[in-house]
Amino acid sequence: MDVGQMQRSLIDYTAALFREGFLDDQFTQLQQLQDESNPEFVFEVVSLFFEDTEKLLNELAIALGLFGYRSQQCADFKKIDAHVHQLKGSSSSIGANRVKNVCVAFRNSCEEKNTDGCLRCLQQIKHEYSLVKNKLENLFRMEQQIVAAGGSIPMME
């Protein structure tokens, strides 16, 4: 595949991520902050999001009483809400739209002290996070292949 085809594939792939609701305009704004002086900016920010999210998902499971000796009746809703609020903010900041949307429902379940709702939302967040992580890793791989082939990363319109 030549560089032009790889660039078109990247544009099509990125457009699909927006169309399917995985990403929103915040991701585009993040890309616009990247330049020659910091060509890895988006990758670095998204990698930090991945690291933080893995920790937060673990913390959420602990706060919901899924590990250890605590029963589900002992869910720490205050702690859960703080973690979900943090995850909502970080997913919003990189444009991970579907993760952010599940966080809204999660916070509602938390306010209602609905343990079952929180558990369902945790599973949904894990699912959406896994999907967006795979999609973004694929996007970064495509970008690396274009650069390795001597091309430049095309910007979305």
mmCIF file of all heavy atoms in Angstrom, residues 20-54:
data_model
loop_
_atom_site.group_PDB
_atom_site.id
_atom_site.type_symbol
_atom_site.label_atom_id
_atom_site.label_comp_id
_atom_site.label_asym_id
_atom_site.label_seq_id
_atom_site.Cartn_x
_atom_site.Cartn_y
_atom_site.Cartn_z
ATOM 1 N N GLU A 20 -19.234 6.599 14.678
ATOM 2 C CA GLU A 20 -19.723 5.569 15.594
ATOM 3 C C GLU A 20 -19.765 6.044 17.047
ATOM 4 O O GLU A 20 -20.117 5.281 17.945
ATOM 5 C CB GLU A 20 -18.849 4.313 15.467
ATOM 6 C CG GLU A 20 -18.962 3.660 14.093
ATOM 7 C CD GLU A 20 -17.859 2.639 13.820
ATOM 8 O OE1 GLU A 20 -17.154 2.217 14.766
ATOM 9 O OE2 GLU A 20 -17.700 2.282 12.639
ATOM 10 N N GLY A 21 -19.389 7.308 17.281
ATOM 11 C CA GLY A 21 -19.500 7.890 18.614
ATOM 12 C C GLY A 21 -18.373 7.550 19.568
ATOM 13 O O GLY A 21 -18.456 7.867 20.748
ATOM 14 N N PHE A 22 -17.313 6.895 19.082
ATOM 15 C CA PHE A 22 -16.188 6.594 19.979
ATOM 16 C C PHE A 22 -15.473 7.877 20.375
ATOM 17 O O PHE A 22 -15.027 8.010 21.508
ATOM 18 C CB PHE A 22 -15.190 5.630 19.317
ATOM 19 C CG PHE A 22 -15.691 4.226 19.238
ATOM 20 C CD1 PHE A 22 -16.156 3.702 18.045
ATOM 21 C CD2 PHE A 22 -15.721 3.423 20.375
ATOM 22 C CE1 PHE A 22 -16.632 2.409 17.981
ATOM 23 C CE2 PHE A 22 -16.198 2.126 20.318
ATOM 24 C CZ PHE A 22 -16.665 1.616 19.119
ATOM 25 N N LEU A 23 -15.327 8.790 19.420
ATOM 26 C CA LEU A 23 -14.613 10.046 19.665
ATOM 27 C C LEU A 23 -15.531 11.232 19.388
ATOM 28 O O LEU A 23 -16.460 11.134 18.592
ATOM 29 C CB LEU A 23 -13.383 10.144 18.755
ATOM 30 C CG LEU A 23 -12.320 9.054 18.912
ATOM 31 C CD1 LEU A 23 -11.216 9.237 17.875
ATOM 32 C CD2 LEU A 23 -11.731 9.058 20.318
ATOM 33 N N ASP A 24 -15.214 12.361 20.036
ATOM 34 C CA ASP A 24 -15.935 13.598 19.745
ATOM 35 C C ASP A 24 -14.930 14.706 19.415
ATOM 36 O O ASP A 24 -13.729 14.447 19.304
ATOM 37 C CB ASP A 24 -16.872 13.985 20.898
ATOM 38 C CG ASP A 24 -16.157 14.276 22.209
ATOM 39 O OD1 ASP A 24 -14.954 14.629 22.195
ATOM 40 O OD2 ASP A 24 -16.803 14.165 23.269
ATOM 41 N N ASP A 25 -15.425 15.929 19.270
ATOM 42 C CA ASP A 25 -14.587 17.054 18.828
ATOM 43 C C ASP A 25 -13.400 17.330 19.747
ATOM 44 O O ASP A 25 -12.414 17.931 19.317
ATOM 45 C CB ASP A 25 -15.431 18.324 18.697
ATOM 46 C CG ASP A 25 -16.381 18.246 17.509
ATOM 47 O OD1 ASP A 25 -16.120 17.436 16.601
ATOM 48 O OD2 ASP A 25 -17.366 18.992 17.503
ATOM 49 N N GLN A 26 -13.484 16.905 20.988
ATOM 50 C CA GLN A 26 -12.367 17.128 21.908
ATOM 51 C C GLN A 26 -11.109 16.420 21.409
ATOM 52 O O GLN A 26 -10.004 16.938 21.558
ATOM 53 C CB GLN A 26 -12.733 16.647 23.320
ATOM 54 C CG GLN A 26 -11.712 16.986 24.363
ATOM 55 C CD GLN A 26 -11.499 18.485 24.533
ATOM 56 O OE1 GLN A 26 -12.435 19.273 24.491
ATOM 57 N NE2 GLN A 26 -10.250 18.888 24.714
ATOM 58 N N PHE A 27 -11.272 15.261 20.765
ATOM 59 C CA PHE A 27 -10.119 14.547 20.220
ATOM 60 C C PHE A 27 -9.470 15.367 19.104
ATOM 61 O O PHE A 27 -8.246 15.458 19.021
ATOM 62 C CB PHE A 27 -10.520 13.151 19.709
ATOM 63 C CG PHE A 27 -9.337 12.310 19.301
ATOM 64 C CD1 PHE A 27 -8.551 11.697 20.258
ATOM 65 C CD2 PHE A 27 -9.006 12.155 17.962
ATOM 66 C CE1 PHE A 27 -7.448 10.930 19.897
ATOM 67 C CE2 PHE A 27 -7.905 11.390 17.587
ATOM 68 C CZ PHE A 27 -7.125 10.773 18.558
ATOM 69 N N THR A 28 -10.291 16.002 18.277
ATOM 70 C CA THR A 28 -9.774 16.865 17.209
ATOM 71 C C THR A 28 -8.996 18.032 17.805
ATOM 72 O O THR A 28 -7.918 18.382 17.315
ATOM 73 C CB THR A 28 -10.935 17.414 16.344
ATOM 74 O OG1 THR A 28 -11.739 16.308 15.910
ATOM 75 C CG2 THR A 28 -10.430 18.167 15.136
ATOM 76 N N GLN A 29 -9.532 18.620 18.875
ATOM 77 C CA GLN A 29 -8.837 19.731 19.529
ATOM 78 C C GLN A 29 -7.502 19.274 20.109
ATOM 79 O O GLN A 29 -6.516 20.004 20.056
ATOM 80 C CB GLN A 29 -9.723 20.346 20.608
ATOM 81 C CG GLN A 29 -10.923 21.071 20.025
ATOM 82 C CD GLN A 29 -11.850 21.622 21.088
ATOM 83 O OE1 GLN A 29 -11.501 21.712 22.258
ATOM 84 N NE2 GLN A 29 -13.052 21.995 20.678
ATOM 85 N N LEU A 30 -7.471 18.063 20.627
ATOM 86 C CA LEU A 30 -6.232 17.488 21.146
ATOM 87 C C LEU A 30 -5.209 17.356 20.017
ATOM 88 O O LEU A 30 -4.045 17.731 20.174
ATOM 89 C CB LEU A 30 -6.547 16.119 21.757
ATOM 90 C CG LEU A 30 -5.572 15.495 22.720
ATOM 91 C CD1 LEU A 30 -5.382 16.381 23.941
ATOM 92 C CD2 LEU A 30 -6.067 14.117 23.130
ATOM 93 N N GLN A 31 -5.661 16.857 18.869
ATOM 94 C CA GLN A 31 -4.769 16.698 17.709
ATOM 95 C C GLN A 31 -4.211 18.048 17.257
ATOM 96 O O GLN A 31 -3.067 18.132 16.818
ATOM 97 C CB GLN A 31 -5.511 16.043 16.545
ATOM 98 C CG GLN A 31 -5.781 14.568 16.746
ATOM 99 C CD GLN A 31 -6.563 13.976 15.594
ATOM 100 O OE1 GLN A 31 -7.558 14.538 15.152
ATOM 101 N NE2 GLN A 31 -6.099 12.835 15.113
ATOM 102 N N GLN A 32 -5.014 19.093 17.368
ATOM 103 C CA GLN A 32 -4.572 20.415 16.926
ATOM 104 C C GLN A 32 -3.488 20.991 17.830
ATOM 105 O O GLN A 32 -2.775 21.904 17.424
ATOM 106 C CB GLN A 32 -5.770 21.372 16.823
ATOM 107 C CG GLN A 32 -6.687 21.012 15.672
ATOM 108 C CD GLN A 32 -8.014 21.744 15.707
ATOM 109 O OE1 GLN A 32 -8.361 22.392 16.695
ATOM 110 N NE2 GLN A 32 -8.771 21.621 14.632
ATOM 111 N N LEU A 33 -3.344 20.460 19.026
ATOM 112 C CA LEU A 33 -2.288 20.911 19.937
ATOM 113 C C LEU A 33 -0.936 20.268 19.617
ATOM 114 O O LEU A 33 0.094 20.694 20.119
ATOM 115 C CB LEU A 33 -2.672 20.599 21.390
ATOM 116 C CG LEU A 33 -3.890 21.325 21.937
ATOM 117 C CD1 LEU A 33 -4.244 20.797 23.318
ATOM 118 C CD2 LEU A 33 -3.649 22.826 21.976
ATOM 119 N N GLN A 34 -0.974 19.233 18.794
ATOM 120 C CA GLN A 34 0.255 18.528 18.418
ATOM 121 C C GLN A 34 0.939 19.271 17.273
ATOM 122 O O GLN A 34 0.286 19.744 16.352
ATOM 123 C CB GLN A 34 -0.117 17.104 17.990
ATOM 124 C CG GLN A 34 1.063 16.233 17.635
ATOM 125 C CD GLN A 34 0.654 14.780 17.552
ATOM 126 O OE1 GLN A 34 0.344 14.183 18.578
ATOM 127 N NE2 GLN A 34 0.650 14.220 16.371
ATOM 128 N N ASP A 35 2.267 19.390 17.360
ATOM 129 C CA ASP A 35 3.021 20.031 16.279
ATOM 130 C C ASP A 35 4.417 19.411 16.181
ATOM 131 O O ASP A 35 4.699 18.431 16.875
ATOM 132 C CB ASP A 35 3.095 21.555 16.481
ATOM 133 C CG ASP A 35 3.724 21.943 17.815
ATOM 134 O OD1 ASP A 35 4.481 21.127 18.392
ATOM 135 O OD2 ASP A 35 3.483 23.067 18.275
ATOM 136 N N GLU A 36 5.269 19.984 15.352
ATOM 137 C CA GLU A 36 6.616 19.436 15.147
ATOM 138 C C GLU A 36 7.417 19.385 16.441
ATOM 139 O O GLU A 36 8.235 18.485 16.641
ATOM 140 C CB GLU A 36 7.412 20.252 14.104
ATOM 141 C CG GLU A 36 6.840 20.242 12.708
ATOM 142 C CD GLU A 36 5.697 21.241 12.526
ATOM 143 O OE1 GLU A 36 5.722 22.330 13.156
ATOM 144 O OE2 GLU A 36 4.768 20.922 11.774
ATOM 145 N N SER A 37 7.208 20.359 17.321
ATOM 146 C CA SER A 37 7.976 20.390 18.569
ATOM 147 C C SER A 37 7.549 19.281 19.533
ATOM 148 O O SER A 37 8.302 18.918 20.426
ATOM 149 C CB SER A 37 7.845 21.760 19.240
ATOM 150 O OG SER A 37 6.520 21.956 19.684
ATOM 151 N N ASN A 38 6.342 18.753 19.356
ATOM 152 C CA ASN A 38 5.865 17.666 20.212
ATOM 153 C C ASN A 38 5.011 16.706 19.378
ATOM 154 O O ASN A 38 3.794 16.648 19.543
ATOM 155 C CB ASN A 38 5.076 18.240 21.387
ATOM 156 C CG ASN A 38 4.894 17.224 22.498
ATOM 157 O OD1 ASN A 38 5.268 16.060 22.370
ATOM 158 N ND2 ASN A 38 4.301 17.656 23.592
ATOM 159 N N PRO A 39 5.662 15.945 18.479
ATOM 160 C CA PRO A 39 4.917 15.081 17.557
ATOM 161 C C PRO A 39 4.211 13.891 18.222
ATOM 162 O O PRO A 39 3.345 13.278 17.630
ATOM 163 C CB PRO A 39 5.986 14.593 16.582
ATOM 164 C CG PRO A 39 7.271 14.695 17.331
ATOM 165 C CD PRO A 39 7.103 15.853 18.270
ATOM 166 N N GLU A 40 4.560 13.603 19.469
ATOM 167 C CA GLU A 40 3.970 12.469 20.185
ATOM 168 C C GLU A 40 2.897 12.916 21.188
ATOM 169 O O GLU A 40 2.438 12.109 22.002
ATOM 170 C CB GLU A 40 5.070 11.709 20.953
ATOM 171 C CG GLU A 40 6.135 11.115 20.065
ATOM 172 C CD GLU A 40 5.636 9.886 19.319
ATOM 173 O OE1 GLU A 40 5.035 9.014 19.961
ATOM 174 O OE2 GLU A 40 5.829 9.825 18.096
ATOM 175 N N PHE A 41 2.491 14.186 21.117
ATOM 176 C CA PHE A 41 1.602 14.754 22.129
ATOM 177 C C PHE A 41 0.329 13.929 22.336
ATOM 178 O O PHE A 41 0.008 13.528 23.450
ATOM 179 C CB PHE A 41 1.237 16.205 21.778
ATOM 180 C CG PHE A 41 0.303 16.844 22.754
ATOM 181 C CD1 PHE A 41 0.753 17.230 24.005
ATOM 182 C CD2 PHE A 41 -1.034 17.030 22.440
ATOM 183 C CE1 PHE A 41 -0.110 17.811 24.930
ATOM 184 C CE2 PHE A 41 -1.913 17.604 23.353
ATOM 185 C CZ PHE A 41 -1.444 18.001 24.593
ATOM 186 N N VAL A 42 -0.411 13.652 21.261
ATOM 187 C CA VAL A 42 -1.684 12.936 21.389
ATOM 188 C C VAL A 42 -1.446 11.534 21.943
ATOM 189 O O VAL A 42 -2.139 11.094 22.857
ATOM 190 C CB VAL A 42 -2.446 12.882 20.047
ATOM 191 C CG1 VAL A 42 -3.707 12.045 20.160
ATOM 192 C CG2 VAL A 42 -2.797 14.296 19.580
ATOM 193 N N PHE A 43 -0.436 10.858 21.413
ATOM 194 C CA PHE A 43 -0.105 9.512 21.888
ATOM 195 C C PHE A 43 0.197 9.525 23.382
ATOM 196 O O PHE A 43 -0.282 8.667 24.137
ATOM 197 C CB PHE A 43 1.083 8.943 21.094
ATOM 198 C CG PHE A 43 1.532 7.602 21.579
ATOM 199 C CD1 PHE A 43 0.831 6.455 21.228
ATOM 200 C CD2 PHE A 43 2.649 7.476 22.399
ATOM 201 C CE1 PHE A 43 1.225 5.200 21.699
ATOM 202 C CE2 PHE A 43 3.058 6.231 22.861
ATOM 203 C CZ PHE A 43 2.346 5.096 22.509
ATOM 204 N N GLU A 44 0.979 10.507 23.829
ATOM 205 C CA GLU A 44 1.342 10.594 25.245
ATOM 206 C C GLU A 44 0.127 10.867 26.133
ATOM 207 O O GLU A 44 -0.034 10.245 27.186
ATOM 208 C CB GLU A 44 2.413 11.669 25.455
ATOM 209 C CG GLU A 44 3.770 11.268 24.878
ATOM 210 C CD GLU A 44 4.771 12.411 24.829
ATOM 211 O OE1 GLU A 44 4.465 13.523 25.316
ATOM 212 O OE2 GLU A 44 5.880 12.180 24.298
ATOM 213 N N VAL A 45 -0.721 11.798 25.708
ATOM 214 C CA VAL A 45 -1.911 12.131 26.493
ATOM 215 C C VAL A 45 -2.852 10.928 26.572
ATOM 216 O O VAL A 45 -3.357 10.585 27.649
ATOM 217 C CB VAL A 45 -2.642 13.366 25.902
ATOM 218 C CG1 VAL A 45 -4.004 13.577 26.553
ATOM 219 C CG2 VAL A 45 -1.784 14.611 26.059
ATOM 220 N N VAL A 46 -3.050 10.268 25.444
ATOM 221 C CA VAL A 46 -3.948 9.109 25.421
ATOM 222 C C VAL A 46 -3.346 7.950 26.228
ATOM 223 O O VAL A 46 -4.072 7.242 26.935
ATOM 224 C CB VAL A 46 -4.287 8.706 23.966
ATOM 225 C CG1 VAL A 46 -5.026 7.381 23.921
ATOM 226 C CG2 VAL A 46 -5.118 9.803 23.294
ATOM 227 N N SER A 47 -2.035 7.778 26.169
ATOM 228 C CA SER A 47 -1.381 6.731 26.974
ATOM 229 C C SER A 47 -1.585 6.979 28.464
ATOM 230 O O SER A 47 -1.830 6.035 29.231
ATOM 231 C CB SER A 47 0.116 6.660 26.651
ATOM 232 O OG SER A 47 0.299 6.230 25.329
ATOM 233 N N LEU A 48 -1.502 8.232 28.889
ATOM 234 C CA LEU A 48 -1.777 8.575 30.289
ATOM 235 C C LEU A 48 -3.237 8.256 30.643
ATOM 236 O O LEU A 48 -3.526 7.753 31.733
ATOM 237 C CB LEU A 48 -1.482 10.052 30.564
ATOM 238 C CG LEU A 48 -0.008 10.424 30.641
ATOM 239 C CD1 LEU A 48 0.156 11.940 30.718
ATOM 240 C CD2 LEU A 48 0.663 9.752 31.827
ATOM 241 N N PHE A 49 -4.147 8.552 29.706
ATOM 242 C CA PHE A 49 -5.561 8.218 29.905
ATOM 243 C C PHE A 49 -5.719 6.710 30.122
ATOM 244 O O PHE A 49 -6.442 6.273 31.017
ATOM 245 C CB PHE A 49 -6.394 8.691 28.710
ATOM 246 C CG PHE A 49 -7.786 8.128 28.681
ATOM 247 C CD1 PHE A 49 -8.754 8.568 29.576
ATOM 248 C CD2 PHE A 49 -8.140 7.154 27.751
ATOM 249 C CE1 PHE A 49 -10.046 8.040 29.554
ATOM 250 C CE2 PHE A 49 -9.422 6.628 27.720
ATOM 251 C CZ PHE A 49 -10.371 7.070 28.621
ATOM 252 N N PHE A 50 -5.028 5.906 29.301
ATOM 253 C CA PHE A 50 -5.098 4.448 29.441
ATOM 254 C C PHE A 50 -4.613 4.019 30.827
ATOM 255 O O PHE A 50 -5.273 3.228 31.511
ATOM 256 C CB PHE A 50 -4.260 3.733 28.372
ATOM 257 C CG PHE A 50 -4.777 3.854 26.965
ATOM 258 C CD1 PHE A 50 -3.916 3.636 25.898
ATOM 259 C CD2 PHE A 50 -6.102 4.179 26.685
ATOM 260 C CE1 PHE A 50 -4.371 3.726 24.579
ATOM 261 C CE2 PHE A 50 -6.567 4.277 25.377
ATOM 262 C CZ PHE A 50 -5.700 4.050 24.320
ATOM 263 N N GLU A 51 -3.465 4.545 31.258
ATOM 264 C CA GLU A 51 -2.904 4.190 32.566
ATOM 265 C C GLU A 51 -3.855 4.573 33.697
ATOM 266 O O GLU A 51 -4.120 3.770 34.598
ATOM 267 C CB GLU A 51 -1.567 4.905 32.794
ATOM 268 C CG GLU A 51 -0.410 4.361 32.005
ATOM 269 C CD GLU A 51 0.847 5.201 32.181
ATOM 270 O OE1 GLU A 51 1.046 5.774 33.283
ATOM 271 O OE2 GLU A 51 1.637 5.286 31.219
ATOM 272 N N ASP A 52 -4.356 5.812 33.643
ATOM 273 C CA ASP A 52 -5.264 6.286 34.692
ATOM 274 C C ASP A 52 -6.550 5.476 34.721
ATOM 275 O O ASP A 52 -7.061 5.151 35.798
ATOM 276 C CB ASP A 52 -5.614 7.769 34.485
ATOM 277 C CG ASP A 52 -4.438 8.693 34.759
ATOM 278 O OD1 ASP A 52 -3.434 8.236 35.356
ATOM 279 O OD2 ASP A 52 -4.521 9.872 34.364
ATOM 280 N N THR A 53 -7.074 5.157 33.550
ATOM 281 C CA THR A 53 -8.337 4.422 33.482
ATOM 282 C C THR A 53 -8.191 3.019 34.056
ATOM 283 O O THR A 53 -9.065 2.557 34.791
ATOM 284 C CB THR A 53 -8.868 4.381 32.033
ATOM 285 O OG1 THR A 53 -9.063 5.730 31.586
ATOM 286 C CG2 THR A 53 -10.192 3.627 31.946
ATOM 287 N N GLU A 54 -7.058 2.368 33.759
ATOM 288 C CA GLU A 54 -6.830 1.024 34.315
ATOM 289 C C GLU A 54 -6.860 1.093 35.849
ATOM 290 O O GLU A 54 -7.491 0.260 36.501
ATOM 291 C CB GLU A 54 -5.473 0.464 33.856
ATOM 292 C CG GLU A 54 -5.262 0.428 32.367
ATOM 293 C CD GLU A 54 -5.870 -0.764 31.660
ATOM 294 O OE1 GLU A 54 -6.107 -1.790 32.317
ATOM 295 O OE2 GLU A 54 -6.117 -0.658 30.452
#
